[in-house]
Amino acid sequence: MAVISGLVRVMERAARKAGTRLRRDFGEVEHLQVSRKGPGDFVSKADQHAERTIYDELLLARPDWGFVMEEGGTIEGDPRKPRWIVDPLDGTTNFLHSIPHFAISIAVQEPALDGKGADGSGWGDVIAGLVYQPITDESFWAEKTRGAWLHDRRLRVSARRNLDEALIGTGIPFSNRGDAGQWSRIYAEIGPRVASIRRNGAASLDLAWVAAGRFDGFWETDLQIWDSAAGCLLVREAGGFVSDFRGRSLPICAESVLAGTDGLHARLHKLLAGAMKPSANPVDQGGAVG
Ligand code: IPD
Ligand code: CA
Ligand code: CA
């Protein structure tokens, strides 16, 4: 039985409040598809409004904590206290095109115990995360060492051990961002060996789906911490592995992310590593599989 902490309740309250409005705005976006102006401006206002709602709620609950937000940037808080990492609308392109697959992602990161942290940022582990899908009303949450949950149901990554049965999520480089050649090479290694590949368009949900056993793995590059902080904790707390493309298991995941079940992560990493150009392949320079 899930014992929902005060911290998770705060995150969920903020996400649900913003989600109620996003759900209403999503209905409006469907009408705007056929208007001459299109839904672009409306969606960016919905995005900003959601972030403002989440910010106000979280600030009220923890007045001295800082923020990293996709729209509003970084707001410093008491450096001895944790900070919030917020993506108010993950899956914007889906939202814009009336595809009901998007989420709110909120994570909590604690200050590094040694004052530096693994990446020198001064920040340490992600200790709580929540990914809320307003359309399906699914609330995926996790706390460090306390497991991953969907509402009050404990999550566990899938038990599949055969690659040819695995369903793998990915994010494809778009709008001139990322390395499309590298993605294609990785796809050429992984694609033919697995049951199927999905590009669903909301990284936080891709990771939550790995935690929930819907996907057996996921890879993407050029992610930001607000895309992946909550989702990576979900995967780890559900018994899966998360590393970067070099195989390093970092406390906060971003940039390149490879998530997989305990049975498949190492094999997916081997395929991925084989697909990287030899000259640019950091695994050749001594990376370890996480
Ligand atoms: C994007 C989504 C998408 C991923 C992109 C992200 P946004 O976030 O997570 O799935 O492929 O890399 O930027 O822009 O919808 O918040
Ligand atoms: Ca995002
Ligand atoms: Ca976003």
PDB file of all heavy atoms in Angstrom, residues 47 70-71 87 89-94 170-172 174 177 199-204 206 218 220-224 226-227, ligand 1:
ATOM      1  N   ASP A  47       0.859  26.803 -22.088  1.00  0.00           N
ATOM      2  CA  ASP A  47       2.111  26.314 -21.513  1.00  0.00           C
ATOM      3  C   ASP A  47       2.556  27.244 -20.368  1.00  0.00           C
ATOM      4  O   ASP A  47       2.834  26.806 -19.240  1.00  0.00           O
ATOM      5  CB  ASP A  47       3.142  26.330 -22.659  1.00  0.00           C
ATOM      6  CG  ASP A  47       4.366  25.492 -22.376  1.00  0.00           C
ATOM      7  OD1 ASP A  47       4.508  25.036 -21.250  1.00  0.00           O
ATOM      8  OD2 ASP A  47       5.177  25.304 -23.302  1.00  0.00           O
ATOM      9  N   GLU A  70      11.175  25.111 -17.442  1.00  0.00           N
ATOM     10  CA  GLU A  70      11.473  25.217 -18.869  1.00  0.00           C
ATOM     11  C   GLU A  70      11.203  26.621 -19.391  1.00  0.00           C
ATOM     12  O   GLU A  70      12.008  27.172 -20.139  1.00  0.00           O
ATOM     13  CB  GLU A  70      10.657  24.203 -19.683  1.00  0.00           C
ATOM     14  CG  GLU A  70      11.048  24.324 -21.147  1.00  0.00           C
ATOM     15  CD  GLU A  70      10.420  23.306 -22.062  1.00  0.00           C
ATOM     16  OE1 GLU A  70       9.476  22.618 -21.656  1.00  0.00           O
ATOM     17  OE2 GLU A  70      10.885  23.227 -23.207  1.00  0.00           O
ATOM     18  N   GLU A  71      10.090  27.201 -19.007  1.00  0.00           N
ATOM     19  CA  GLU A  71       9.741  28.524 -19.537  1.00  0.00           C
ATOM     20  C   GLU A  71      10.412  29.642 -18.743  1.00  0.00           C
ATOM     21  O   GLU A  71      10.973  30.570 -19.307  1.00  0.00           O
ATOM     22  CB  GLU A  71       8.215  28.725 -19.531  1.00  0.00           C
ATOM     23  CG  GLU A  71       7.433  27.627 -20.235  1.00  0.00           C
ATOM     24  CD  GLU A  71       7.836  27.444 -21.687  1.00  0.00           C
ATOM     25  OE1 GLU A  71       8.143  28.448 -22.359  1.00  0.00           O
ATOM     26  OE2 GLU A  71       7.880  26.280 -22.140  1.00  0.00           O
ATOM     27  N   ASP A  87       8.665  20.825 -15.932  1.00  0.00           N
ATOM     28  CA  ASP A  87       8.239  20.981 -17.330  1.00  0.00           C
ATOM     29  C   ASP A  87       6.708  21.027 -17.299  1.00  0.00           C
ATOM     30  O   ASP A  87       6.059  20.007 -17.032  1.00  0.00           O
ATOM     31  CB  ASP A  87       8.727  19.805 -18.186  1.00  0.00           C
ATOM     32  CG  ASP A  87       8.448  20.046 -19.667  1.00  0.00           C
ATOM     33  OD1 ASP A  87       7.628  20.923 -19.987  1.00  0.00           O
ATOM     34  OD2 ASP A  87       9.052  19.341 -20.500  1.00  0.00           O
ATOM     35  N   LEU A  89       4.517  21.430 -19.626  1.00  0.00           N
ATOM     36  CA  LEU A  89       3.819  20.769 -20.739  1.00  0.00           C
ATOM     37  C   LEU A  89       4.868  20.013 -21.549  1.00  0.00           C
ATOM     38  O   LEU A  89       5.602  20.611 -22.339  1.00  0.00           O
ATOM     39  CB  LEU A  89       3.103  21.819 -21.611  1.00  0.00           C
ATOM     40  CG  LEU A  89       2.436  21.303 -22.890  1.00  0.00           C
ATOM     41  CD1 LEU A  89       1.437  20.199 -22.610  1.00  0.00           C
ATOM     42  CD2 LEU A  89       1.734  22.448 -23.627  1.00  0.00           C
ATOM     43  N   ASP A  90       4.968  18.733 -21.288  1.00  0.00           N
ATOM     44  CA  ASP A  90       5.914  17.904 -22.042  1.00  0.00           C
ATOM     45  C   ASP A  90       5.105  17.159 -23.102  1.00  0.00           C
ATOM     46  O   ASP A  90       4.139  16.458 -22.774  1.00  0.00           O
ATOM     47  CB  ASP A  90       6.608  16.914 -21.096  1.00  0.00           C
ATOM     48  CG  ASP A  90       7.689  16.124 -21.824  1.00  0.00           C
ATOM     49  OD1 ASP A  90       8.449  16.735 -22.598  1.00  0.00           O
ATOM     50  OD2 ASP A  90       7.770  14.900 -21.619  1.00  0.00           O
ATOM     51  N   GLY A  91       5.506  17.366 -24.358  1.00  0.00           N
ATOM     52  CA  GLY A  91       4.701  16.831 -25.464  1.00  0.00           C
ATOM     53  C   GLY A  91       3.951  17.964 -26.158  1.00  0.00           C
ATOM     54  O   GLY A  91       2.822  17.799 -26.605  1.00  0.00           O
ATOM     55  N   THR A  92       4.622  19.117 -26.233  1.00  0.00           N
ATOM     56  CA  THR A  92       3.964  20.306 -26.796  1.00  0.00           C
ATOM     57  C   THR A  92       3.495  20.081 -28.231  1.00  0.00           C
ATOM     58  O   THR A  92       2.416  20.544 -28.610  1.00  0.00           O
ATOM     59  CB  THR A  92       4.956  21.500 -26.835  1.00  0.00           C
ATOM     60  OG1 THR A  92       5.780  21.433 -25.697  1.00  0.00           O
ATOM     61  CG2 THR A  92       4.236  22.811 -26.872  1.00  0.00           C
ATOM     62  N   THR A  93       4.314  19.377 -29.009  1.00  0.00           N
ATOM     63  CA  THR A  93       3.931  19.178 -30.419  1.00  0.00           C
ATOM     64  C   THR A  93       2.665  18.324 -30.501  1.00  0.00           C
ATOM     65  O   THR A  93       1.777  18.599 -31.322  1.00  0.00           O
ATOM     66  CB  THR A  93       5.099  18.537 -31.205  1.00  0.00           C
ATOM     67  OG1 THR A  93       6.260  19.341 -30.992  1.00  0.00           O
ATOM     68  CG2 THR A  93       4.806  18.463 -32.682  1.00  0.00           C
ATOM     69  N   ASN A  94       2.555  17.330 -29.641  1.00  0.00           N
ATOM     70  CA  ASN A  94       1.306  16.550 -29.605  1.00  0.00           C
ATOM     71  C   ASN A  94       0.131  17.455 -29.263  1.00  0.00           C
ATOM     72  O   ASN A  94      -0.906  17.428 -29.930  1.00  0.00           O
ATOM     73  CB  ASN A  94       1.410  15.434 -28.543  1.00  0.00           C
ATOM     74  CG  ASN A  94       2.284  14.276 -28.993  1.00  0.00           C
ATOM     75  OD1 ASN A  94       2.545  14.116 -30.175  1.00  0.00           O
ATOM     76  ND2 ASN A  94       2.705  13.457 -28.049  1.00  0.00           N
ATOM     77  N   THR A 170      11.587   5.925 -28.240  1.00  0.00           N
ATOM     78  CA  THR A 170      12.720   6.786 -28.591  1.00  0.00           C
ATOM     79  C   THR A 170      12.225   8.196 -28.867  1.00  0.00           C
ATOM     80  O   THR A 170      11.019   8.447 -28.977  1.00  0.00           O
ATOM     81  CB  THR A 170      13.472   6.223 -29.823  1.00  0.00           C
ATOM     82  OG1 THR A 170      14.657   7.011 -30.051  1.00  0.00           O
ATOM     83  CG2 THR A 170      12.624   6.267 -31.079  1.00  0.00           C
ATOM     84  N   GLY A 171      13.158   9.130 -28.945  1.00  0.00           N
ATOM     85  CA  GLY A 171      12.869  10.473 -29.425  1.00  0.00           C
ATOM     86  C   GLY A 171      13.748  10.716 -30.636  1.00  0.00           C
ATOM     87  O   GLY A 171      14.941  10.396 -30.605  1.00  0.00           O
ATOM     88  N   ILE A 172      13.160  11.222 -31.697  1.00  0.00           N
ATOM     89  CA  ILE A 172      13.903  11.423 -32.948  1.00  0.00           C
ATOM     90  C   ILE A 172      14.322  12.891 -33.053  1.00  0.00           C
ATOM     91  O   ILE A 172      13.497  13.781 -32.793  1.00  0.00           O
ATOM     92  CB  ILE A 172      13.017  11.047 -34.161  1.00  0.00           C
ATOM     93  CG1 ILE A 172      12.511   9.609 -33.998  1.00  0.00           C
ATOM     94  CG2 ILE A 172      13.774  11.200 -35.466  1.00  0.00           C
ATOM     95  CD1 ILE A 172      11.535   9.170 -35.083  1.00  0.00           C
ATOM     96  N   PHE A 174      14.768  16.535 -34.262  1.00  0.00           N
ATOM     97  CA  PHE A 174      13.805  17.268 -35.086  1.00  0.00           C
ATOM     98  C   PHE A 174      14.227  18.738 -35.161  1.00  0.00           C
ATOM     99  O   PHE A 174      15.075  19.191 -34.377  1.00  0.00           O
ATOM    100  CB  PHE A 174      12.390  17.165 -34.492  1.00  0.00           C
ATOM    101  CG  PHE A 174      12.308  17.679 -33.071  1.00  0.00           C
ATOM    102  CD1 PHE A 174      11.858  18.962 -32.796  1.00  0.00           C
ATOM    103  CD2 PHE A 174      12.715  16.873 -32.012  1.00  0.00           C
ATOM    104  CE1 PHE A 174      11.804  19.434 -31.497  1.00  0.00           C
ATOM    105  CE2 PHE A 174      12.663  17.340 -30.707  1.00  0.00           C
ATOM    106  CZ  PHE A 174      12.210  18.619 -30.448  1.00  0.00           C
ATOM    107  N   ARG A 177      17.624  20.014 -34.642  1.00  0.00           N
ATOM    108  CA  ARG A 177      18.283  19.766 -33.351  1.00  0.00           C
ATOM    109  C   ARG A 177      18.774  18.330 -33.319  1.00  0.00           C
ATOM    110  O   ARG A 177      18.149  17.440 -33.881  1.00  0.00           O
ATOM    111  CB  ARG A 177      17.281  19.986 -32.209  1.00  0.00           C
ATOM    112  CG  ARG A 177      17.139  21.443 -31.824  1.00  0.00           C
ATOM    113  CD  ARG A 177      15.945  21.675 -30.938  1.00  0.00           C
ATOM    114  NE  ARG A 177      15.823  20.712 -29.838  1.00  0.00           N
ATOM    115  CZ  ARG A 177      14.784  20.678 -29.003  1.00  0.00           C
ATOM    116  NH1 ARG A 177      13.795  21.523 -29.145  1.00  0.00           N
ATOM    117  NH2 ARG A 177      14.731  19.784 -28.034  1.00  0.00           N
ATOM    118  N   ARG A 199       7.765   6.352 -31.315  1.00  0.00           N
ATOM    119  CA  ARG A 199       8.159   7.728 -31.043  1.00  0.00           C
ATOM    120  C   ARG A 199       6.865   8.446 -30.632  1.00  0.00           C
ATOM    121  O   ARG A 199       6.090   8.894 -31.474  1.00  0.00           O
ATOM    122  CB  ARG A 199       8.742   8.365 -32.324  1.00  0.00           C
ATOM    123  CG  ARG A 199       9.549   9.636 -32.117  1.00  0.00           C
ATOM    124  CD  ARG A 199       8.795  10.845 -31.664  1.00  0.00           C
ATOM    125  NE  ARG A 199       9.652  12.025 -31.759  1.00  0.00           N
ATOM    126  CZ  ARG A 199      10.073  12.711 -30.708  1.00  0.00           C
ATOM    127  NH1 ARG A 199       9.692  12.388 -29.493  1.00  0.00           N
ATOM    128  NH2 ARG A 199      10.858  13.753 -30.909  1.00  0.00           N
ATOM    129  N   ASN A 200       6.636   8.509 -29.303  1.00  0.00           N
ATOM    130  CA  ASN A 200       5.349   9.023 -28.831  1.00  0.00           C
ATOM    131  C   ASN A 200       5.343  10.525 -28.581  1.00  0.00           C
ATOM    132  O   ASN A 200       4.291  11.134 -28.484  1.00  0.00           O
ATOM    133  CB  ASN A 200       4.919   8.290 -27.562  1.00  0.00           C
ATOM    134  CG  ASN A 200       4.395   6.899 -27.851  1.00  0.00           C
ATOM    135  OD1 ASN A 200       4.331   6.476 -29.007  1.00  0.00           O
ATOM    136  ND2 ASN A 200       4.021   6.172 -26.817  1.00  0.00           N
ATOM    137  N   GLY A 201       6.525  11.155 -28.395  1.00  0.00           N
ATOM    138  CA  GLY A 201       6.571  12.620 -28.348  1.00  0.00           C
ATOM    139  C   GLY A 201       6.464  13.270 -26.986  1.00  0.00           C
ATOM    140  O   GLY A 201       6.236  14.484 -26.917  1.00  0.00           O
ATOM    141  N   ALA A 202       6.645  12.541 -25.910  1.00  0.00           N
ATOM    142  CA  ALA A 202       6.692  13.166 -24.575  1.00  0.00           C
ATOM    143  C   ALA A 202       7.658  12.323 -23.733  1.00  0.00           C
ATOM    144  O   ALA A 202       7.295  11.256 -23.223  1.00  0.00           O
ATOM    145  CB  ALA A 202       5.309  13.209 -23.933  1.00  0.00           C
ATOM    146  N   ALA A 203       8.890  12.815 -23.602  1.00  0.00           N
ATOM    147  CA  ALA A 203       9.955  12.010 -22.984  1.00  0.00           C
ATOM    148  C   ALA A 203       9.614  11.602 -21.546  1.00  0.00           C
ATOM    149  O   ALA A 203       9.941  10.495 -21.120  1.00  0.00           O
ATOM    150  CB  ALA A 203      11.267  12.787 -23.021  1.00  0.00           C
ATOM    151  N   SER A 204       8.967  12.513 -20.807  1.00  0.00           N
ATOM    152  CA  SER A 204       8.643  12.172 -19.409  1.00  0.00           C
ATOM    153  C   SER A 204       7.718  10.961 -19.363  1.00  0.00           C
ATOM    154  O   SER A 204       7.873  10.069 -18.516  1.00  0.00           O
ATOM    155  CB  SER A 204       7.983  13.373 -18.707  1.00  0.00           C
ATOM    156  OG  SER A 204       6.779  13.720 -19.361  1.00  0.00           O
ATOM    157  N   ASP A 206       7.451   8.686 -21.831  1.00  0.00           N
ATOM    158  CA  ASP A 206       8.214   7.519 -22.324  1.00  0.00           C
ATOM    159  C   ASP A 206       8.882   6.821 -21.147  1.00  0.00           C
ATOM    160  O   ASP A 206       8.842   5.594 -21.022  1.00  0.00           O
ATOM    161  CB  ASP A 206       9.287   7.959 -23.329  1.00  0.00           C
ATOM    162  CG  ASP A 206       8.709   8.473 -24.635  1.00  0.00           C
ATOM    163  OD1 ASP A 206       7.613   8.028 -25.022  1.00  0.00           O
ATOM    164  OD2 ASP A 206       9.361   9.332 -25.274  1.00  0.00           O
ATOM    165  N   PHE A 218      14.094   2.786 -23.648  1.00  0.00           N
ATOM    166  CA  PHE A 218      13.896   4.110 -24.257  1.00  0.00           C
ATOM    167  C   PHE A 218      15.256   4.733 -24.471  1.00  0.00           C
ATOM    168  O   PHE A 218      16.141   4.609 -23.623  1.00  0.00           O
ATOM    169  CB  PHE A 218      13.058   4.983 -23.318  1.00  0.00           C
ATOM    170  CG  PHE A 218      13.065   6.452 -23.671  1.00  0.00           C
ATOM    171  CD1 PHE A 218      12.340   6.925 -24.754  1.00  0.00           C
ATOM    172  CD2 PHE A 218      13.801   7.363 -22.911  1.00  0.00           C
ATOM    173  CE1 PHE A 218      12.352   8.279 -25.090  1.00  0.00           C
ATOM    174  CE2 PHE A 218      13.823   8.717 -23.234  1.00  0.00           C
ATOM    175  CZ  PHE A 218      13.090   9.172 -24.329  1.00  0.00           C
ATOM    176  N   GLU A 220      17.085   8.541 -26.064  1.00  0.00           N
ATOM    177  CA  GLU A 220      16.982   9.856 -26.718  1.00  0.00           C
ATOM    178  C   GLU A 220      18.195  10.682 -26.328  1.00  0.00           C
ATOM    179  O   GLU A 220      18.745  10.521 -25.242  1.00  0.00           O
ATOM    180  CB  GLU A 220      15.690  10.587 -26.305  1.00  0.00           C
ATOM    181  CG  GLU A 220      15.533  11.939 -27.013  1.00  0.00           C
ATOM    182  CD  GLU A 220      14.127  12.519 -27.007  1.00  0.00           C
ATOM    183  OE1 GLU A 220      13.209  11.891 -26.437  1.00  0.00           O
ATOM    184  OE2 GLU A 220      13.945  13.620 -27.578  1.00  0.00           O
ATOM    185  N   THR A 221      18.608  11.579 -27.237  1.00  0.00           N
ATOM    186  CA  THR A 221      19.670  12.540 -26.895  1.00  0.00           C
ATOM    187  C   THR A 221      19.085  13.939 -26.826  1.00  0.00           C
ATOM    188  O   THR A 221      17.960  14.172 -27.246  1.00  0.00           O
ATOM    189  CB  THR A 221      20.782  12.591 -27.965  1.00  0.00           C
ATOM    190  OG1 THR A 221      20.162  12.731 -29.223  1.00  0.00           O
ATOM    191  CG2 THR A 221      21.665  11.386 -27.920  1.00  0.00           C
ATOM    192  N   ASP A 222      19.893  14.867 -26.348  1.00  0.00           N
ATOM    193  CA  ASP A 222      19.539  16.282 -26.296  1.00  0.00           C
ATOM    194  C   ASP A 222      18.308  16.567 -25.440  1.00  0.00           C
ATOM    195  O   ASP A 222      17.545  17.473 -25.735  1.00  0.00           O
ATOM    196  CB  ASP A 222      19.334  16.839 -27.716  1.00  0.00           C
ATOM    197  CG  ASP A 222      20.619  16.749 -28.517  1.00  0.00           C
ATOM    198  OD1 ASP A 222      21.571  17.485 -28.199  1.00  0.00           O
ATOM    199  OD2 ASP A 222      20.685  15.903 -29.422  1.00  0.00           O
ATOM    200  N   LEU A 223      18.148  15.784 -24.406  1.00  0.00           N
ATOM    201  CA  LEU A 223      17.067  16.082 -23.462  1.00  0.00           C
ATOM    202  C   LEU A 223      17.549  17.122 -22.449  1.00  0.00           C
ATOM    203  O   LEU A 223      18.750  17.297 -22.238  1.00  0.00           O
ATOM    204  CB  LEU A 223      16.629  14.806 -22.742  1.00  0.00           C
ATOM    205  CG  LEU A 223      15.836  13.820 -23.596  1.00  0.00           C
ATOM    206  CD1 LEU A 223      15.635  12.513 -22.842  1.00  0.00           C
ATOM    207  CD2 LEU A 223      14.493  14.396 -24.029  1.00  0.00           C
ATOM    208  N   GLN A 224      16.606  17.780 -21.829  1.00  0.00           N
ATOM    209  CA  GLN A 224      16.911  18.730 -20.760  1.00  0.00           C
ATOM    210  C   GLN A 224      16.454  18.114 -19.434  1.00  0.00           C
ATOM    211  O   GLN A 224      15.620  17.211 -19.432  1.00  0.00           O
ATOM    212  CB  GLN A 224      16.142  20.039 -20.998  1.00  0.00           C
ATOM    213  CG  GLN A 224      16.383  20.659 -22.360  1.00  0.00           C
ATOM    214  CD  GLN A 224      17.819  21.176 -22.506  1.00  0.00           C
ATOM    215  OE1 GLN A 224      18.431  21.605 -21.526  1.00  0.00           O
ATOM    216  NE2 GLN A 224      18.340  21.122 -23.720  1.00  0.00           N
ATOM    217  N   TRP A 226      14.431  19.020 -17.256  1.00  0.00           N
ATOM    218  CA  TRP A 226      12.991  19.028 -16.967  1.00  0.00           C
ATOM    219  C   TRP A 226      12.242  17.940 -17.761  1.00  0.00           C
ATOM    220  O   TRP A 226      11.157  17.538 -17.390  1.00  0.00           O
ATOM    221  CB  TRP A 226      12.371  20.403 -17.238  1.00  0.00           C
ATOM    222  CG  TRP A 226      12.774  21.005 -18.547  1.00  0.00           C
ATOM    223  CD1 TRP A 226      12.276  20.698 -19.773  1.00  0.00           C
ATOM    224  CD2 TRP A 226      13.760  22.015 -18.736  1.00  0.00           C
ATOM    225  NE1 TRP A 226      12.899  21.459 -20.734  1.00  0.00           N
ATOM    226  CE2 TRP A 226      13.810  22.290 -20.122  1.00  0.00           C
ATOM    227  CE3 TRP A 226      14.599  22.749 -17.877  1.00  0.00           C
ATOM    228  CZ2 TRP A 226      14.674  23.240 -20.676  1.00  0.00           C
ATOM    229  CZ3 TRP A 226      15.446  23.689 -18.421  1.00  0.00           C
ATOM    230  CH2 TRP A 226      15.486  23.932 -19.799  1.00  0.00           C
ATOM    231  N   ASP A 227      12.835  17.462 -18.863  1.00  0.00           N
ATOM    232  CA  ASP A 227      12.202  16.369 -19.615  1.00  0.00           C
ATOM    233  C   ASP A 227      12.331  15.041 -18.872  1.00  0.00           C
ATOM    234  O   ASP A 227      11.463  14.174 -18.986  1.00  0.00           O
ATOM    235  CB  ASP A 227      12.900  16.149 -20.973  1.00  0.00           C
ATOM    236  CG  ASP A 227      12.812  17.346 -21.900  1.00  0.00           C
ATOM    237  OD1 ASP A 227      11.711  17.896 -22.042  1.00  0.00           O
ATOM    238  OD2 ASP A 227      13.854  17.718 -22.490  1.00  0.00           O
TER     239      ASP A 227
HETATM  240  C1  IPD B   1       9.965  17.463 -25.890  1.00  0.00           C
HETATM  241  C2  IPD B   1       9.345  16.088 -25.738  1.00  0.00           C
HETATM  242  C3  IPD B   1       9.785  15.188 -26.873  1.00  0.00           C
HETATM  243  C4  IPD B   1      11.286  15.094 -26.957  1.00  0.00           C
HETATM  244  C5  IPD B   1      11.920  16.467 -27.039  1.00  0.00           C
HETATM  245  C6  IPD B   1      11.457  17.351 -25.891  1.00  0.00           C
HETATM  246  P1  IPD B   1       8.539  19.558 -25.036  1.00  0.00           P
HETATM  247  O1  IPD B   1       9.579  18.313 -24.823  1.00  0.00           O
HETATM  248  O2  IPD B   1       9.706  15.491 -24.521  1.00  0.00           O
HETATM  249  O3  IPD B   1       9.291  13.875 -26.710  1.00  0.00           O
HETATM  250  O4  IPD B   1      11.613  14.360 -28.105  1.00  0.00           O
HETATM  251  O5  IPD B   1      13.323  16.297 -26.977  1.00  0.00           O
HETATM  252  O6  IPD B   1      12.017  18.638 -26.053  1.00  0.00           O
HETATM  253  O7  IPD B   1       9.200  20.557 -25.928  1.00  0.00           O
HETATM  254  O8  IPD B   1       7.303  18.991 -25.614  1.00  0.00           O
HETATM  255  O9  IPD B   1       8.381  20.061 -23.621  1.00  0.00           O
END
